[in-house]
Amino acid sequence: AALLPRPARGLTDRLYCGRRVCYEVLGVSRQASKAEIARAYRQLARQYHPDRYRGEAAGGEGSGSQAAHEKFLLIAAAYETLKDEETRKDYDYMLDHPEEYYRHYYHYYRRRLAPKVDVTIVILVTVCAISVFQFFSWWSSYNEAINYLASVPKYRIQATEIARQQGLLNKTKEKGKNRRSKEEIREEEEEIIKDIIKNKIDIKGGYQKPKIYDILLFQILLAPFYWCKYIVWYFWWIYCFTIKGQEYGVEEKLYIIRRFMKMSQSQFDSLEDHQKETFLERQLWIRENYEVYKREQEEELKKKMAMDPRWKRYRRWMKNEGPGRLTFIDD
């Protein structure tokens, strides 16, 4: 029954001015301009506003403040319909094509339920907020990594030695009027050591120094450039190594190895240099060599797990107790 065509009705209770024609409510013609519609609305609104109504008959439709209130709501609905050009076009189309019942409902409620704020602005503000949070979060992680490296003896000793060679630590121990407390000297030396670690040590992975081009906003803006760059690189790869049959360079070999290992660029960059040299020595860019290396790593991991006391206790517990049994064993 819902799929059957509805009878042709141009005016319904739930759309626009209900059974009344909005033009007749305001007392204007369909050819009236926006200024004429606004003028008619102001006159009727002053006459039927509930705060100013003094008991006159509400246009022959009853008397009292309640009738005036209903009349005022009808006038406001008519003005809201006719003051906007797009809404007025939809209303005129409904008057001319009353048989398109569902189309009128769709356009009416689409405009009423549509968000008042532009979706583009909402998306832009959201992306900017995420980008700001992302940038400050990276800076926080980077500072935590620097503080940790400053507490590691290996890096701290190297940074202290470099600072002594450059004469930076001698400047902190001044005498005379410029003499400072031990706490101030210690804080300044700590900052000098951290600055040396920042400049001398390249932190990779998730704790690397944040760059403005890595945040979400710039990634979206530069996405077309990255896509074009990737397409050019992809065709260059096919031309050089597939068509011409050139030998791989070091960067190309490391790229193939990283793809085999299914690692991201930041994860692969965080590996030590001697590990990458081992990959190249074993020629892991060749699929067969990589499969052998992968099996060796899996076997080595199984041996470590077999010899690890914690894994032995875990396997013993799984065999004797099981995961479904409640115990008070700390391990």
Side-chain angles (χ1 to χ4, degrees):
L3 296 177
L4 293 176
R6 303 293 298 269
R9 291 184 295 175
L11 302 175
T12 59
D13 295 330
R14 290 173 289 179
L15 298 183
Y16 303 106
C17 299
R19 298 285 181 177
R20 298 287 303 275
V21 179
C22 294
Y23 292 102
E24 295 177 357
V25 172
L26 295 180
V28 297
S29 64
R30 289 186 61 172
Q31 291 75 30
S33 63
K34 292 183 66 174
E36 293 174 347
I37 292 173
R39 192 182 309 114
Y41 167 72
R42 286 194 296 268
Q43 293 176 355
L44 293 173
R46 283 195 298 266
Q47 180 180 354
Y48 292 102
H49 197 283
D51 295 337
R52 303 185 61 179
Y53 185 72
R54 294 294 180 267
E56 295 84 352
E61 297 180 3
S63 60
S65 60
Q66 182 63 30
H69 178 69
E70 294 177 358
K71 180 70 174 180
F72 179 77
L73 293 179
L74 182 61
I75 294 170
Y79 179 66
E80 289 294 326
T81 301
L82 301 180
K83 73 175 183 178
D84 183 67
E85 291 293 336
E86 298 298 326
T87 308
R88 186 176 178 180
K89 285 182 181 179
D90 292 340
Y91 184 70
D92 291 342
Y93 188 85
M94 186 187 76
L95 295 179
D96 296 334
H97 304 83
E99 69 280 357
E100 300 182 16
Y101 181 81
Y102 295 108
R103 183 183 186 278
H104 306 325
Y105 258 91
Y106 167 73
H107 284 279
Y108 176 77
Y109 284 105
R110 187 194 66 174
R111 295 192 182 279
R112 288 181 63 88
L113 301 178
K116 303 301 181 182
V117 183
D118 191 0
V119 179
T120 306
I121 298 177
V122 176
I123 296 175
L124 181 61
V125 172
T126 304
V127 170
C128 292
I130 294 174
S131 301
V132 171
F133 174 78
Q134 186 181 30
F135 187 72
F136 283 103
S137 176
W138 280 352
W139 264 112
S140 177
S141 301
Y142 177 71
N143 291 328
E144 289 179 4
I146 294 297
N147 294 333
Y148 170 75
L149 293 176
S151 63
V152 177
K154 172 185 175 181
Y155 299 108
R156 189 175 186 86
I157 293 172
Q158 293 179 1
T160 304
E161 189 64 29
I162 294 173
R164 287 201 182 107
Q165 293 176 1
Q166 296 179 356
L168 299 176
L169 297 180
N170 298 330
K171 295 180 181 179
T172 61
K173 300 178 181 180
E174 297 175 350
K175 297 181 180 180
K177 296 181 179 180
N178 298 327
R179 186 175 182 180
R180 289 163 296 176
S181 63
K182 293 183 178 180
E183 186 66 26
E184 292 176 347
I185 294 174
R186 190 181 302 110
E187 290 179 358
E188 187 171 348
E189 289 179 352
E190 192 70 21
E191 292 298 325
I192 291 173
I193 291 174
K194 290 180 181 179
D195 288 338
I196 293 175
I197 292 176
K198 288 180 182 179
N199 297 326
K200 298 297 181 181
I201 299 177
D202 184 18
I203 302 176
K204 299 178 181 179
Y207 296 95
Q208 63 183 353
K209 189 174 183 178
K211 299 178 182 178
I212 193 69
Y213 296 106
D214 292 335
I215 64 176
L216 179 62
L217 179 61
F218 281 93
Q219 290 291 311
I220 294 176
L221 294 177
L222 297 175
F225 169 74
Y226 290 143
W227 273 106
C228 294
K229 184 178 179 181
Y230 174 77
I231 292 173
V232 171
W233 171 87
Y234 181 76
F235 283 106
W236 169 83
W237 182 281
I238 293 177
Y239 174 74
C240 293
F241 304 113
T242 304
I243 299 177
K244 297 184 66 176
Q246 296 180 3
E247 295 185 0
Y248 295 126
V250 176
E251 294 297 328
E252 289 76 20
K253 293 176 182 178
L254 292 176
Y255 170 76
I256 297 174
I257 294 172
R258 180 174 68 83
R259 292 293 301 271
F260 285 163
M261 293 184 173
K262 298 180 181 179
M263 300 174 66
S264 64
Q265 186 65 51
S266 59
Q267 291 175 330
F268 194 76
D269 290 341
S270 62
L271 299 177
E272 298 292 338
D273 292 336
H274 67 86
Q275 291 179 291
K276 297 179 182 178
E277 292 176 0
T278 304
F279 298 159
L280 295 174
E281 290 175 359
R282 299 196 57 174
Q283 300 182 354
L284 297 187
W285 66 88
I286 302 175
R287 171 67 73 174
E288 293 77 10
N289 296 343
Y290 173 74
E291 294 295 337
V292 174
Y293 172 81
K294 183 179 179 181
R295 287 194 294 269
E296 292 177 357
Q297 293 297 314
E298 292 175 352
E299 292 296 330
E300 185 177 353
L301 179 61
K302 290 180 181 179
K303 291 180 181 178
K304 288 183 179 180
M305 292 174 61
M307 300 301 295
D308 190 352
R310 296 182 60 185
W311 277 101
K312 288 182 179 180
R313 290 196 299 269
Y314 175 74
R315 288 194 298 271
R316 191 183 309 117
W317 175 78
M318 287 292 293
K319 180 179 179 181
N320 299 330
E321 305 294 340
R325 182 172 178 180
L326 181 65
T327 65
F328 294 94
I329 302 175
D330 293 336
D331 291 344

